[in-house]
Amino acid sequence: MKPLDVDLVRELAKDHSVLITVEEGSIGGFGDHVLHFLSLDGLLDEGNLKFRPMVMPDKYFETATQHEQYEQAGLNARHIKGTILRLANRIDVPVLENA
């Protein structure tokens, strides 16, 4: 995570209208580091970039398989695809409850 490759983040922000980070950590990790940089660098100022950090919710999970925990957290392929499509205005996807 550190140091953040700011040149890469700038390039991605300029070349794409949607950025999503996906991580197994909780709030305050890589996605927040990227969001902080995007904000300080002014890359969100014009409203042309949509950004979503996808992280583990800040809650306890019952013992389960990794797949089951990702399902509960909204971090499996189906949820990632839904987030991409929603941000690209391709479909309406319900927001994950209790996140």
Side-chain angles (χ1 to χ4, degrees):
M1 178 167 74
K2 292 184 180 181
L4 183 65
D5 187 343
V6 296
D7 293 332
L8 176 60
V9 174
R10 277 189 193 113
E11 181 181 335
L12 291 170
K14 289 178 182 174
D15 291 345
H16 302 282
S17 62
V18 173
L19 293 181
I20 298 172
T21 59
V22 181
E23 60 186 299
E24 292 179 320
S26 62
I27 297 167
F30 176 71
D32 284 346
H33 195 66
V34 171
L35 180 58
H36 187 83
F37 171 75
L38 291 170
S39 177
L40 289 177
D41 207 51
L43 296 168
L44 300 173
D45 291 354
E46 305 211 6
N48 298 325
L49 179 65
K50 296 178 184 179
F51 176 78
R52 290 295 182 282
M54 296 184 71
V55 300
M56 295 293 280
D58 191 19
K59 69 176 190 174
Y60 292 104
F61 287 92
E62 294 295 324
T63 302
T65 67
Q66 187 177 38
H67 175 77
E68 291 168 334
Q69 288 180 342
Y70 286 167
E71 180 72 27
Q72 293 173 29
L75 290 178
N76 62 17
R78 181 173 54 91
H79 290 104
I80 294 167
K81 179 181 176 182
T83 298
I84 293 166
L85 293 175
R86 184 174 67 237
L87 290 175
N89 295 321
R90 303 282 301 277
I91 61 168
D92 290 324
V93 178
V95 176
L96 186 65
E97 293 182 29
N98 299 323

